[in-house]
Amino acid sequence: MSAGEKDGRPPAPGAPSDEPISLEKDLERLTVPERSLFEEAGATPEALLGTRRANPLSVVVEALKMTSGLVAIVAFGLAGDFFAGDLGTITKLVLAAAAIFAACLLLSFAVWRARTWELTAEGVRLCWGLGWGPFSRRSLTIPYEHIHTVSMNSSLLDRVFGLLTLDLDTGAAASEGDASKISGLRAGEADVLRAELFRRKRAASGQTGVGEKDVPLDDAPAEGRPLATFSLAGRELALAAASQMSAGSQALALVVLLVNGANQLIEWGLLDVVGRGDELMAGISPVVVPAVLAFLAVALLLGAAVSFVVNLVRYAGYRVERFEDRVVVEHGLLSRSSRALAAGRVQYVAVRQGIIRQLIGYAEVTAQVVATPGEKDGEPSGSVLLHPFIRVGEVDAFLAEVLPDCAGVLGSVELGRLGPVARRRAVVRAVIWWPFATAIFFGVHWLFGFSGLLESAAWLLEPLLVAAAVLSVVLLVGFVADALRAWGAARYGQTARELVLVTGGLTRLTVIAPRARLQRMEVRANPFQRRAGVATLSVRTAASDADGLDLRDLPADAADELLSWYRPRA
């Protein structure tokens, strides 16, 4: 982790003054010169007055986005004719692409003409709809005080044209969809608009002088410099990407892609294997085991490489800045993202460690906020990445600069551990499925043998059954190991104002939840737990994601103590 002067800003309090070599920032500028997400575009506050529309360039951008998907579908449908030798397919595809683009351009222009936004005294007013039939004119006003986070995103195509989208998240129902988005903004215009939204939010919440909300934009107080700035140097960026690799999931995706591709080649007649299963297996049976092992090894290596590149692109250009009333997090090389969250809206802080990061002593820090259910940039929309790669021992110091309300907790809280009975119950939960899976496996094996399928398609079914048996044993061992690690890592405790829970095995999660943000705490015990003297603690905040807020089989007296802490009596 490094903090210091960046883009002319002063170094964070107590941070080293040396500026890291920002390789990812240089790459970003080379990719889209002078059009990156945070380049100044000469915007002024006066440009926000009145009814506004998206930049006209957004008409072309949206038309290209719609066209690309539709053309891909048409190309996939014509692929069979192309592989059959029909070169006229190319002409058909070009004509279809031109017609689709023209239709999408007209539709995009109509949507652009109908969609407007305006800053009013009550909130942001967004209008859309063509005004006839099912596309009737609609409007939505978002009060400033209800805005929790403001995300500023730019896809690769948007960045080519220098455009951005602001997503105003109030935590309302998902039915709002894209209604709360302001798209087609230039870089400087989006930055000024976001700052103005938070200025009016402060005024509406009573955090500034009376009447500031109605102060003209040109007389508004200047936006202050960040109080703290953190970024990742090149070496830390590479380690962050490498330590977060998910080779298994990427390898599985590659295998599925290869299988689907082979199936499509069979349908197109380019790969003839129908009725030749026994012949093919007889030819490759001497090398089937080495071939399978080699294929899995190559798939895992490719999966690790793909995962590393994806994480590198995702974390590139990372920077977090704290202002007086908000925290702004930026990251991403190709698809750039910037999220500004109101510091007072954070429900809890989560410190996450995968198995690799547990070994090297690093973690990822996120803040949980109230947000519309869904995903943003591959993450739950309510989860805001604060730092992707930080030493566990430096988390308290980092939070002291970025979220002071949650600082100093990990270094001062006394944490309790689960007893031996919790270990026994965790192992039972991990293995209880295996006898049923084994019975189903033998049942399927008998059914195949009884029906004659095992003999007629032995070349396919026997390897699959053996693989299923091996997989069940591997899963059993993995689940037991994860249960034991989760039991050994589980902790619970509280300070005067915060609750701390540590859960998870292969992925460890430490949650810091202020008591003022807890909306519900429940202690429950089934008959088996009551007999063992343990209980389950369940905690909820206003955030939709409840990951890490449940702890099983802690001592019943400790659970009652936490419940008394949550609702203190005189």
Side-chain angles (χ1 to χ4, degrees):
M1 177 185 65
S2 58
E5 186 176 353
K6 198 174 179 76
D7 299 332
R9 299 179 177 122
S17 59
D18 54 320
E19 181 180 358
I21 300 176
S22 183
L23 176 61
E24 63 277 3
K25 194 69 176 179
D26 294 336
L27 287 174
E28 178 194 343
R29 293 177 184 274
L30 289 174
T31 305
V32 188
E34 299 182 358
R35 285 184 178 178
S36 69
L37 181 57
F38 302 100
E39 294 286 348
E40 293 296 333
T44 59
E46 293 84 353
L48 304 179
L49 296 173
T51 302
R52 307 288 300 171
R53 285 190 178 89
N55 190 285
L57 285 174
S58 63
V59 176
V60 179
V61 173
E62 293 302 320
L64 289 174
K65 289 180 181 179
M66 290 187 288
T67 301
S68 61
L70 295 174
V71 170
I73 296 174
V74 174
F76 186 79
L78 297 175
D81 296 335
F82 176 78
F83 287 117
D86 184 4
L87 298 182
T89 304
I90 299 178
T91 304
K92 296 178 184 178
L93 182 60
V94 172
L95 294 176
I100 291 174
F101 178 73
C104 291
L105 194 63
L106 291 176
L107 178 60
S108 179
F109 176 79
V111 172
W112 170 83
R113 190 73 176 80
R115 188 171 182 85
T116 62
W117 60 271
E118 180 183 6
L119 297 181
T120 67
E122 295 78 20
V124 187
R125 187 170 184 265
L126 302 106
C127 300
W128 69 99
L130 301 179
W132 50 269
F135 307 102
S136 58
R137 191 74 175 161
R138 300 181 183 181
S139 66
L140 172 68
T141 300
I142 303 177
Y144 300 113
E145 62 269 25
H146 291 175
I147 297 175
H148 296 174
T149 62
V150 179
S151 301
M152 190 157 61
N153 305 297
S154 181
S155 66
L156 183 59
L157 184 59
D158 288 328
R159 295 182 66 190
V160 170
F161 290 86
L163 300 178
L164 300 164
T165 296
L166 283 190
D167 188 356
L168 315 181
D169 204 331
T170 64
S175 58
E176 286 186 2
D178 293 338
S180 58
K181 293 182 179 180
I182 303 177
S183 58
L185 300 172
R186 300 291 291 185
E189 183 183 15
D191 207 19
V192 171
L193 175 58
R194 184 166 66 175
E196 176 62 17
L197 290 175
F198 275 94
R199 185 185 74 84
R200 295 195 174 207
K201 175 181 174 63
R202 290 196 304 270
S205 303
Q207 299 176 7
T208 56
V210 177
E212 183 185 341
K213 181 171 61 175
D214 299 322
V215 174
L217 292 177
D218 52 353
D219 294 333
E223 186 68 21
R225 291 185 173 182
L227 304 178
T229 301
F230 292 85
S231 62
L232 282 182
R235 176 176 175 272
E236 293 172 322
L237 174 63
L239 288 174
S243 62
Q244 194 70 0
M245 289 191 302
S246 54
S249 60
Q250 297 292 344
L252 180 61
L254 289 174
V255 171
V256 172
L257 183 63
L258 288 175
V259 171
N260 289 335
N263 183 61
Q264 195 62 51
L265 291 176
I266 293 173
E267 291 185 3
W268 288 338
L270 300 178
L271 185 62
D272 184 16
V273 296
V274 178
R276 301 177 58 194
D278 293 333
E279 178 185 348
L280 292 174
M281 289 303 298
I284 66 173
S285 58
V287 294
V288 63
V289 174
V292 170
L293 293 178
F295 174 76
L296 293 177
V298 171
L300 287 173
L301 288 176
L302 289 177
V306 170
S307 179
F308 175 77
V309 173
V310 169
N311 288 329
L312 194 66
V313 171
R314 174 191 173 200
Y315 293 142
Y318 161 81
R319 181 172 62 191
V320 59
E321 296 175 332
R322 180 174 74 90
F323 295 85
E324 183 179 358
D325 61 337
R326 69 186 187 278
V327 178
V328 180
V329 184
E330 314 163 0
H331 61 88
L333 180 60
L334 300 179
S335 179
R336 192 78 168 149
S337 171
S338 172
R339 299 188 70 182
L341 65 147
R345 295 291 188 176
V346 174
Q347 299 298 305
Y348 61 87
V349 173
V351 182
R352 190 183 305 272
Q353 293 177 278
I355 185 65
I356 298 178
R357 295 187 176 185
Q358 292 179 38
L359 297 175
I360 63 178
Y362 279 81
E364 175 184 278
V365 182
T366 60
Q368 201 70 27
V369 297
V370 180
T372 302
E375 286 195 356
K376 290 182 184 294
D377 306 317
E379 300 177 349
S381 59
S383 180
V384 180
L385 178 69
L386 293 181
H387 203 298
F389 192 69
I390 183 173
R391 291 184 183 275
V392 175
E394 297 176 355
V395 172
D396 269 336
F398 171 73
L399 292 177
E401 298 285 355
V402 177
L403 288 177
D405 291 343
C406 297
V409 178
L410 297 179
S412 60
V413 64
E414 295 184 6
L415 299 176
R417 302 187 58 179
L418 304 184
V421 64
R423 176 178 56 191
R424 183 181 71 249
R425 290 177 55 81
V427 172
V428 170
R429 284 195 299 269
V431 305
I432 195 171
W433 63 273
W434 198 74
F436 299 99
T438 304
I440 293 174
F441 171 79
F442 283 109
V444 171
H445 189 278
W446 175 85
L447 182 62
F448 283 160
F450 179 78
S451 62
L453 288 175
L454 193 59
E455 295 181 1
S456 61
W459 64 274
L460 176 62
L461 293 180
E462 286 186 356
L464 289 178
L465 291 174
V466 172
V470 174
L471 180 61
S472 68
V473 175
V474 172
L475 289 177
L476 176 65
V477 174
F479 287 157
V480 171
D482 185 62
L484 291 176
R485 287 187 60 86
W487 170 82
R491 300 287 190 277
Y492 57 91
Q494 78 279 356
T495 65
R497 298 187 305 167
E498 295 90 8
L499 172 70
V500 178
L501 297 176
V502 183
T503 58
L506 298 180
T507 300
R508 186 171 302 170
L509 188 65
T510 302
V511 169
I512 305 172
R515 183 171 62 183
R517 297 298 180 188
L518 302 182
Q519 293 191 342
R520 177 173 66 86
M521 178 180 286
E522 178 184 2
V523 175
R524 59 180 183 272
N526 58 42
F528 299 102
Q529 287 180 313
R530 287 197 296 269
R531 181 178 179 182
V534 296
T536 296
L537 178 71
S538 179
V539 180
R540 293 294 180 269
T541 68
S544 58
D545 188 5
D547 191 17
L549 295 181
D550 290 336
L551 185 60
R552 286 180 171 179
D553 298 333
L554 73 162
D557 55 349
D560 292 337
E561 182 180 347
L562 288 174
L563 194 60
S564 300
W565 166 85
Y566 171 63
R567 50 181 189 189
R569 296 178 175 84

